[in-house]
Amino acid sequence: MKIDKTQVYGFESAFRGLRNLMNSWSKSDSCINIDSDMFGNYNDESFILGKDDLDLAQRLVKAGSEHCKFLRQIQVWVDMNLPRYIWSEFDTYKFNSKNSCSTMHKLLNKQKEISVDDFEFDDNNNMELWAINNAVNYLNKAREKWLNAKTEEEKRECITSAKRILPESFLQLRTVNTNYAELRNIYKQRNNHRLKEWHKICDWIESLPYAKELIIYDINNSDENK
């Protein structure tokens, strides 16, 4: 599995809105350390979170999810290449949107043969490797039939058979748009999960700008866990 191409936006807008409730914009001490572009866009490296803004933000985070709405306005885009058994769990969360590589259109219509590198498995588990190799052999036979098919009906039969036999460990790439509030929810629920893949996702969450101060802050003591 692989997680890359992360982009984070919205800190300045989120923390400006944070002050709207009490009209306390004059007390904001955060700043932008580089000029924005002509469209007013900022990236995660350009925002410096001030001490007073952080104190207010953390008080709202401790108060519960209904009070820290500003976290929903900090947007994250990321490419995730995860096995299907993780995606089936990931889809329970309310991320904003996703664009996925299609198994219907691209599973057999690839420039190269399917290989074990297209799957997530334990290198030290011979049984897993044996099962993946068997699946790869079957899928490549289906691919060969698909490439040589003369009719759409033949292609339909090939892809239907391939999807039925496709292991849950098959890696699928998705570009995901989510936010800090939902990542906090994911981290809270999955940080101690038995599947190691969730630990890798939580490690990625920890690497995000101000994750320690906002996403992970007081996560074991918040009202959300009571």
Side-chain angles (χ1 to χ4, degrees):
M1 60 178 286
K2 184 178 181 181
I3 303 174
D4 64 352
K5 297 183 175 63
T6 302
Q7 292 180 297
V8 182
Y9 289 94
F11 278 105
E12 193 275 339
S13 297
F15 276 86
R16 187 174 69 250
L18 183 71
R19 293 286 182 180
N20 286 352
L21 181 62
M22 301 302 293
N23 293 2
S24 60
W25 308 288
S26 62
K27 296 181 179 180
S28 177
D29 58 348
S30 299
C31 64
I32 304 296
N33 67 0
I34 61 173
D35 293 333
S36 64
D37 63 24
M38 62 182 296
F39 300 105
N41 294 321
Y42 308 92
N43 60 40
D44 57 292
E45 297 178 349
S46 65
F47 182 80
I48 299 176
L49 179 55
K51 180 179 178 181
D52 291 341
D53 281 345
L54 175 60
D55 177 69
L56 175 57
Q58 289 184 334
R59 281 188 278 128
L60 292 174
V61 168
K62 289 183 70 173
S65 58
E66 70 275 22
H67 297 285
C68 57
K69 296 186 290 292
F70 75 96
L71 289 179
R72 303 174 199 168
Q73 297 182 320
I74 303 175
Q75 298 292 303
V76 181
W77 286 262
V78 62
D79 279 3
M80 292 180 161
N81 199 21
L82 307 179
R84 281 153 42 102
Y85 58 85
I86 295 296
W87 281 127
S88 65
E89 297 183 3
F90 195 95
D91 285 342
T92 65
Y93 294 99
K94 298 177 182 178
F95 51 89
N96 298 335
S97 63
K98 67 180 187 302
N99 284 317
S100 309
C101 288
S102 173
T103 55
M104 176 61 74
H105 297 292
K106 292 299 181 180
L107 175 60
L108 302 182
N109 186 23
K110 297 180 65 175
Q111 298 300 316
K112 65 179 183 68
E113 288 191 339
I114 298 166
S115 73
V116 294
D117 292 334
D118 294 316
F119 299 84
E120 181 79 9
F121 63 95
D122 185 351
D123 293 334
N124 298 315
N125 191 319
N126 291 331
M127 183 63 72
E128 285 189 22
L129 182 57
W130 174 84
I132 295 298
N133 274 318
N134 281 344
V136 166
N137 290 335
Y138 180 89
L139 290 168
N140 279 323
K141 289 179 181 178
R143 176 179 179 271
E144 184 176 353
K145 289 182 179 180
W146 190 92
L147 292 173
N148 293 320
K150 303 300 184 183
T151 66
E152 287 302 316
E153 179 62 20
E154 290 178 318
K155 287 188 175 183
R156 184 192 67 78
E157 291 177 357
C158 290
I159 190 62
T160 299
S161 179
K163 286 176 70 68
R164 285 173 178 163
I165 202 68
L166 185 65
E168 283 293 285
S169 57
F170 184 73
L171 292 165
Q172 184 184 42
L173 175 66
R174 298 184 183 184
T175 299
V176 177
N177 172 217
T178 185
N179 59 73
Y180 269 34
E182 196 56 29
L183 292 177
R184 177 176 171 83
N185 191 31
I186 290 173
Y187 191 92
K188 176 188 67 175
Q189 296 181 4
R190 302 288 178 168
N191 188 42
N192 295 314
H193 200 274
R194 62 174 62 92
L195 293 177
K196 65 179 182 180
E197 289 82 2
W198 279 110
H199 296 179
K200 293 180 181 179
I201 293 173
C202 288
D203 288 344
W204 165 74
I205 292 174
E206 290 177 359
S207 73
L208 296 174
Y210 298 112
K212 180 179 179 181
E213 294 85 352
L214 300 174
I215 298 176
I216 305 169
Y217 175 72
D218 198 51
I219 209 161
N220 294 320
N221 300 312
S222 68
D223 290 341
E224 301 163 77
N225 292 329
K226 295 179 180 178

Short mmCIF file of all heavy atoms in Angstrom, two decimals, residues 9-32 36 39-42 47-50 53-54 56-57 60 69-71 73-74:
data_model
loop_
_atom_site.label_atom_id
_atom_site.label_comp_id
_atom_site.label_asym_id
_atom_site.label_seq_id
_atom_site.Cartn_x
_atom_site.Cartn_y
_atom_site.Cartn_z
N TYR A 9 -5.30 22.31 2.67
CA TYR A 9 -5.69 23.70 2.49
C TYR A 9 -6.80 24.07 3.47
O TYR A 9 -7.56 23.21 3.90
CB TYR A 9 -6.18 23.96 1.07
CG TYR A 9 -5.09 23.93 0.02
CD1 TYR A 9 -4.82 22.76 -0.67
CD2 TYR A 9 -4.33 25.06 -0.27
CE1 TYR A 9 -3.82 22.70 -1.63
CE2 TYR A 9 -3.33 25.03 -1.23
CZ TYR A 9 -3.08 23.84 -1.91
OH TYR A 9 -2.10 23.81 -2.85
N GLY A 10 -6.88 25.35 3.78
CA GLY A 10 -8.03 25.85 4.52
C GLY A 10 -7.75 26.36 5.92
O GLY A 10 -8.69 26.79 6.61
N PHE A 11 -6.50 26.32 6.36
CA PHE A 11 -6.20 26.77 7.72
C PHE A 11 -6.63 28.21 7.96
O PHE A 11 -7.28 28.52 8.96
CB PHE A 11 -4.70 26.63 8.01
CG PHE A 11 -4.29 25.24 8.40
CD1 PHE A 11 -3.61 24.43 7.51
CD2 PHE A 11 -4.58 24.73 9.66
CE1 PHE A 11 -3.22 23.15 7.86
CE2 PHE A 11 -4.20 23.46 10.02
CZ PHE A 11 -3.52 22.67 9.12
N GLU A 12 -6.27 29.10 7.05
CA GLU A 12 -6.56 30.52 7.26
C GLU A 12 -8.06 30.77 7.33
O GLU A 12 -8.55 31.46 8.23
CB GLU A 12 -5.92 31.33 6.13
CG GLU A 12 -5.87 32.84 6.40
CD GLU A 12 -7.16 33.55 6.00
OE1 GLU A 12 -7.91 33.01 5.17
OE2 GLU A 12 -7.42 34.66 6.53
N SER A 13 -8.80 30.17 6.42
CA SER A 13 -10.26 30.35 6.41
C SER A 13 -10.90 29.72 7.64
O SER A 13 -11.80 30.29 8.25
CB SER A 13 -10.85 29.73 5.14
OG SER A 13 -10.36 30.37 3.99
N ALA A 14 -10.44 28.52 8.01
CA ALA A 14 -11.02 27.82 9.16
C ALA A 14 -10.81 28.60 10.45
O ALA A 14 -11.73 28.73 11.27
CB ALA A 14 -10.41 26.42 9.28
N PHE A 15 -9.61 29.15 10.62
CA PHE A 15 -9.33 29.88 11.86
C PHE A 15 -9.93 31.30 11.84
O PHE A 15 -10.20 31.86 12.91
CB PHE A 15 -7.83 29.91 12.14
CG PHE A 15 -7.36 28.67 12.84
CD1 PHE A 15 -7.03 27.53 12.12
CD2 PHE A 15 -7.31 28.61 14.22
CE1 PHE A 15 -6.63 26.37 12.77
CE2 PHE A 15 -6.92 27.46 14.89
CZ PHE A 15 -6.57 26.32 14.15
N ARG A 16 -10.15 31.84 10.67
CA ARG A 16 -10.90 33.10 10.61
C ARG A 16 -12.35 32.86 11.04
O ARG A 16 -12.92 33.63 11.81
CB ARG A 16 -10.85 33.66 9.18
CG ARG A 16 -11.46 35.05 9.05
CD ARG A 16 -11.28 35.63 7.65
NE ARG A 16 -12.07 34.92 6.64
CZ ARG A 16 -11.57 34.13 5.70
NH1 ARG A 16 -10.26 33.93 5.64
NH2 ARG A 16 -12.34 33.55 4.82
N GLY A 17 -12.93 31.78 10.54
CA GLY A 17 -14.29 31.44 10.93
C GLY A 17 -14.41 31.04 12.38
O GLY A 17 -15.47 31.20 13.00
N LEU A 18 -13.33 30.52 12.94
CA LEU A 18 -13.31 30.13 14.34
C LEU A 18 -13.65 31.30 15.25
O LEU A 18 -14.24 31.13 16.33
CB LEU A 18 -11.92 29.58 14.68
CG LEU A 18 -11.65 29.04 16.07
CD1 LEU A 18 -12.40 27.73 16.27
CD2 LEU A 18 -10.15 28.81 16.27
N ARG A 19 -13.28 32.49 14.80
CA ARG A 19 -13.49 33.71 15.61
C ARG A 19 -14.85 34.36 15.37
O ARG A 19 -15.20 35.34 16.05
CB ARG A 19 -12.38 34.72 15.28
CG ARG A 19 -10.98 34.30 15.72
CD ARG A 19 -10.84 34.42 17.20
NE ARG A 19 -9.49 34.08 17.68
CZ ARG A 19 -9.15 34.13 18.96
NH1 ARG A 19 -10.02 34.51 19.87
NH2 ARG A 19 -7.93 33.79 19.34
N ASN A 20 -15.63 33.83 14.43
CA ASN A 20 -16.89 34.49 14.07
C ASN A 20 -17.90 34.50 15.23
O ASN A 20 -18.64 35.47 15.40
CB ASN A 20 -17.53 33.80 12.87
CG ASN A 20 -16.81 34.12 11.57
OD1 ASN A 20 -15.93 34.97 11.54
ND2 ASN A 20 -17.18 33.44 10.50
N LEU A 21 -17.95 33.44 16.00
CA LEU A 21 -18.98 33.30 17.03
C LEU A 21 -18.99 34.48 18.00
O LEU A 21 -20.06 34.99 18.36
CB LEU A 21 -18.79 31.99 17.79
CG LEU A 21 -19.81 31.69 18.90
CD1 LEU A 21 -21.22 31.57 18.28
CD2 LEU A 21 -19.44 30.42 19.65
N MET A 22 -17.80 34.90 18.43
CA MET A 22 -17.70 36.00 19.41
C MET A 22 -17.16 37.29 18.79
O MET A 22 -16.77 38.21 19.51
CB MET A 22 -16.80 35.56 20.57
CG MET A 22 -17.27 34.32 21.30
SD MET A 22 -18.93 34.50 22.00
CE MET A 22 -18.62 35.74 23.26
N ASN A 23 -17.12 37.33 17.44
CA ASN A 23 -16.59 38.52 16.76
C ASN A 23 -15.21 38.91 17.29
O ASN A 23 -14.90 40.09 17.47
CB ASN A 23 -17.54 39.72 16.92
CG ASN A 23 -18.86 39.51 16.19
OD1 ASN A 23 -19.09 38.46 15.60
ND2 ASN A 23 -19.72 40.51 16.23
N SER A 24 -14.39 37.89 17.54
CA SER A 24 -13.10 38.15 18.20
C SER A 24 -11.92 38.07 17.22
O SER A 24 -10.84 37.65 17.58
CB SER A 24 -12.89 37.13 19.33
OG SER A 24 -12.89 35.79 18.82
N TRP A 25 -12.16 38.54 15.98
CA TRP A 25 -11.09 38.45 14.97
C TRP A 25 -9.83 39.21 15.39
O TRP A 25 -8.72 38.82 15.04
CB TRP A 25 -11.61 39.02 13.65
CG TRP A 25 -12.91 38.41 13.22
CD1 TRP A 25 -13.12 37.14 12.75
CD2 TRP A 25 -14.19 39.03 13.26
NE1 TRP A 25 -14.45 36.94 12.47
CE2 TRP A 25 -15.15 38.09 12.78
CE3 TRP A 25 -14.65 40.30 13.65
CZ2 TRP A 25 -16.50 38.37 12.68
CZ3 TRP A 25 -16.01 40.58 13.54
CH2 TRP A 25 -16.91 39.62 13.06
N SER A 26 -10.00 40.29 16.16
CA SER A 26 -8.85 41.10 16.56
C SER A 26 -7.91 40.34 17.49
O SER A 26 -6.74 40.72 17.65
CB SER A 26 -9.31 42.39 17.26
OG SER A 26 -10.04 42.09 18.44
N LYS A 27 -8.41 39.26 18.10
CA LYS A 27 -7.58 38.48 19.01
C LYS A 27 -6.80 37.36 18.29
O LYS A 27 -5.99 36.69 18.92
CB LYS A 27 -8.44 37.86 20.10
CG LYS A 27 -9.11 38.88 21.01
CD LYS A 27 -9.93 38.19 22.10
CE LYS A 27 -10.59 39.21 23.02
NZ LYS A 27 -11.39 38.55 24.09
N SER A 28 -7.05 37.22 17.01
CA SER A 28 -6.36 36.17 16.26
C SER A 28 -4.88 36.49 16.14
O SER A 28 -4.50 37.64 15.85
CB SER A 28 -6.97 36.03 14.87
OG SER A 28 -6.26 35.08 14.10
N ASP A 29 -4.03 35.50 16.40
CA ASP A 29 -2.58 35.72 16.31
C ASP A 29 -1.91 34.77 15.33
O ASP A 29 -0.69 34.60 15.35
CB ASP A 29 -1.93 35.60 17.69
CG ASP A 29 -2.19 34.24 18.35
OD1 ASP A 29 -3.05 33.49 17.84
OD2 ASP A 29 -1.53 33.93 19.36
N SER A 30 -2.69 34.13 14.47
CA SER A 30 -2.11 33.32 13.41
C SER A 30 -1.75 34.21 12.23
O SER A 30 -2.24 35.34 12.10
CB SER A 30 -3.11 32.24 12.95
OG SER A 30 -3.43 31.38 14.02
N CYS A 31 -0.91 33.70 11.34
CA CYS A 31 -0.49 34.52 10.20
C CYS A 31 -0.06 33.63 9.03
O CYS A 31 0.10 32.42 9.17
CB CYS A 31 0.65 35.46 10.59
SG CYS A 31 2.17 34.61 11.07
N ILE A 32 0.08 34.28 7.89
CA ILE A 32 0.58 33.63 6.68
C ILE A 32 2.02 34.08 6.47
O ILE A 32 2.30 35.27 6.45
CB ILE A 32 -0.28 34.00 5.46
CG1 ILE A 32 -1.75 33.66 5.71
CG2 ILE A 32 0.23 33.30 4.21
CD1 ILE A 32 -2.03 32.20 5.90
N SER A 36 -0.07 35.06 -0.60
CA SER A 36 -0.98 34.17 -1.32
C SER A 36 -0.88 34.47 -2.80
O SER A 36 -0.37 35.52 -3.22
CB SER A 36 -2.41 34.38 -0.84
OG SER A 36 -2.84 35.69 -1.15
N PHE A 39 -5.38 34.15 -6.49
CA PHE A 39 -6.70 33.62 -6.14
C PHE A 39 -6.90 33.52 -4.63
O PHE A 39 -7.92 33.03 -4.17
CB PHE A 39 -6.91 32.25 -6.78
CG PHE A 39 -6.81 32.27 -8.28
CD1 PHE A 39 -5.69 31.78 -8.92
CD2 PHE A 39 -7.84 32.81 -9.04
CE1 PHE A 39 -5.60 31.81 -10.30
CE2 PHE A 39 -7.75 32.84 -10.42
CZ PHE A 39 -6.64 32.35 -11.05
N GLY A 40 -5.90 33.94 -3.85
CA GLY A 40 -6.01 33.88 -2.40
C GLY A 40 -5.83 32.49 -1.84
O GLY A 40 -6.31 32.19 -0.75
N ASN A 41 -5.11 31.63 -2.55
CA ASN A 41 -4.88 30.26 -2.09
C ASN A 41 -3.67 30.19 -1.17
O ASN A 41 -2.69 30.90 -1.35
CB ASN A 41 -4.67 29.32 -3.27
CG ASN A 41 -5.91 29.18 -4.12
OD1 ASN A 41 -7.01 29.11 -3.60
ND2 ASN A 41 -5.73 29.14 -5.44
N TYR A 42 -3.74 29.31 -0.19
CA TYR A 42 -2.65 29.09 0.73
C TYR A 42 -2.39 27.59 0.80
O TYR A 42 -3.29 26.78 0.60
CB TYR A 42 -3.00 29.59 2.14
CG TYR A 42 -3.49 31.01 2.19
CD1 TYR A 42 -4.84 31.30 2.12
CD2 TYR A 42 -2.59 32.06 2.31
CE1 TYR A 42 -5.30 32.60 2.17
CE2 TYR A 42 -3.03 33.37 2.37
CZ TYR A 42 -4.39 33.64 2.30
OH TYR A 42 -4.84 34.93 2.36
N PHE A 47 0.91 28.64 6.59
CA PHE A 47 0.11 29.06 7.73
C PHE A 47 0.87 28.81 9.03
O PHE A 47 1.36 27.71 9.28
CB PHE A 47 -1.22 28.30 7.76
CG PHE A 47 -2.14 28.71 8.88
CD1 PHE A 47 -2.90 29.86 8.77
CD2 PHE A 47 -2.23 27.95 10.03
CE1 PHE A 47 -3.75 30.25 9.80
CE2 PHE A 47 -3.08 28.32 11.06
CZ PHE A 47 -3.84 29.48 10.94
N ILE A 48 0.95 29.85 9.87
CA ILE A 48 1.58 29.74 11.18
C ILE A 48 0.49 29.91 12.24
O ILE A 48 -0.11 30.98 12.37
CB ILE A 48 2.68 30.79 11.37
CG1 ILE A 48 3.78 30.61 10.32
CG2 ILE A 48 3.28 30.69 12.77
CD1 ILE A 48 4.86 31.67 10.38
N LEU A 49 0.23 28.85 12.99
CA LEU A 49 -0.83 28.85 13.99
C LEU A 49 -0.37 29.57 15.26
O LEU A 49 0.63 29.19 15.87
CB LEU A 49 -1.24 27.41 14.31
CG LEU A 49 -2.33 27.21 15.37
CD1 LEU A 49 -3.58 27.99 15.01
CD2 LEU A 49 -2.63 25.72 15.50
N GLY A 50 -1.11 30.60 15.64
CA GLY A 50 -0.75 31.39 16.82
C GLY A 50 -1.16 30.72 18.12
O GLY A 50 -2.05 29.86 18.15
N ASP A 53 -4.93 31.45 19.10
CA ASP A 53 -5.84 30.70 18.24
C ASP A 53 -5.81 29.21 18.57
O ASP A 53 -6.84 28.53 18.56
CB ASP A 53 -5.46 30.90 16.77
CG ASP A 53 -5.95 32.24 16.23
OD1 ASP A 53 -6.81 32.87 16.88
OD2 ASP A 53 -5.48 32.65 15.15
N LEU A 54 -4.62 28.71 18.86
CA LEU A 54 -4.50 27.29 19.22
C LEU A 54 -5.22 27.00 20.52
O LEU A 54 -5.91 25.98 20.65
CB LEU A 54 -3.02 26.91 19.34
CG LEU A 54 -2.75 25.48 19.83
CD1 LEU A 54 -3.37 24.45 18.89
CD2 LEU A 54 -1.24 25.24 19.98
N LEU A 56 -7.84 28.53 21.78
CA LEU A 56 -9.28 28.53 21.51
C LEU A 56 -9.68 27.26 20.76
O LEU A 56 -10.68 26.61 21.09
CB LEU A 56 -9.67 29.77 20.70
CG LEU A 56 -11.13 29.84 20.24
CD1 LEU A 56 -12.08 29.76 21.43
CD2 LEU A 56 -11.36 31.12 19.43
N ALA A 57 -8.88 26.90 19.77
CA ALA A 57 -9.18 25.71 18.96
C ALA A 57 -9.20 24.46 19.83
O ALA A 57 -10.11 23.62 19.71
CB ALA A 57 -8.14 25.57 17.84
N LEU A 60 -12.28 24.13 21.96
CA LEU A 60 -13.42 23.68 21.18
C LEU A 60 -13.31 22.20 20.85
O LEU A 60 -14.31 21.48 20.86
CB LEU A 60 -13.53 24.50 19.89
CG LEU A 60 -13.90 25.98 20.08
CD1 LEU A 60 -13.83 26.72 18.76
CD2 LEU A 60 -15.30 26.11 20.69
N LYS A 69 -16.37 22.62 14.69
CA LYS A 69 -16.75 22.54 13.27
C LYS A 69 -15.65 23.06 12.36
O LYS A 69 -15.61 22.71 11.17
CB LYS A 69 -18.04 23.33 13.03
CG LYS A 69 -19.25 22.75 13.77
CD LYS A 69 -20.53 23.49 13.39
CE LYS A 69 -20.57 24.90 13.92
NZ LYS A 69 -20.69 24.95 15.40
N PHE A 70 -14.77 23.89 12.89
CA PHE A 70 -13.71 24.46 12.06
C PHE A 70 -12.81 23.37 11.46
O PHE A 70 -12.21 23.56 10.40
CB PHE A 70 -12.88 25.46 12.86
CG PHE A 70 -11.94 24.83 13.85
CD1 PHE A 70 -10.61 24.61 13.53
CD2 PHE A 70 -12.38 24.45 15.12
CE1 PHE A 70 -9.73 24.03 14.43
CE2 PHE A 70 -11.52 23.86 16.02
CZ PHE A 70 -10.20 23.65 15.69
N LEU A 71 -12.73 22.22 12.15
CA LEU A 71 -11.89 21.13 11.63
C LEU A 71 -12.42 20.61 10.29
O LEU A 71 -11.65 20.11 9.47
CB LEU A 71 -11.83 19.98 12.64
CG LEU A 71 -11.04 20.22 13.93
CD1 LEU A 71 -11.11 18.98 14.81
CD2 LEU A 71 -9.58 20.56 13.62
N GLN A 73 -13.41 22.36 7.94
CA GLN A 73 -13.04 23.29 6.88
C GLN A 73 -11.57 23.18 6.49
O GLN A 73 -11.14 23.86 5.55
CB GLN A 73 -13.38 24.71 7.31
CG GLN A 73 -14.87 24.92 7.51
CD GLN A 73 -15.20 26.36 7.89
OE1 GLN A 73 -14.50 26.98 8.66
NE2 GLN A 73 -16.30 26.87 7.34
N ILE A 74 -10.80 22.38 7.21
CA ILE A 74 -9.41 22.13 6.82
C ILE A 74 -9.41 20.90 5.92
O ILE A 74 -9.63 19.79 6.36
CB ILE A 74 -8.51 21.92 8.05
CG1 ILE A 74 -8.60 23.12 8.99
CG2 ILE A 74 -7.06 21.69 7.61
CD1 ILE A 74 -7.85 22.95 10.29
#
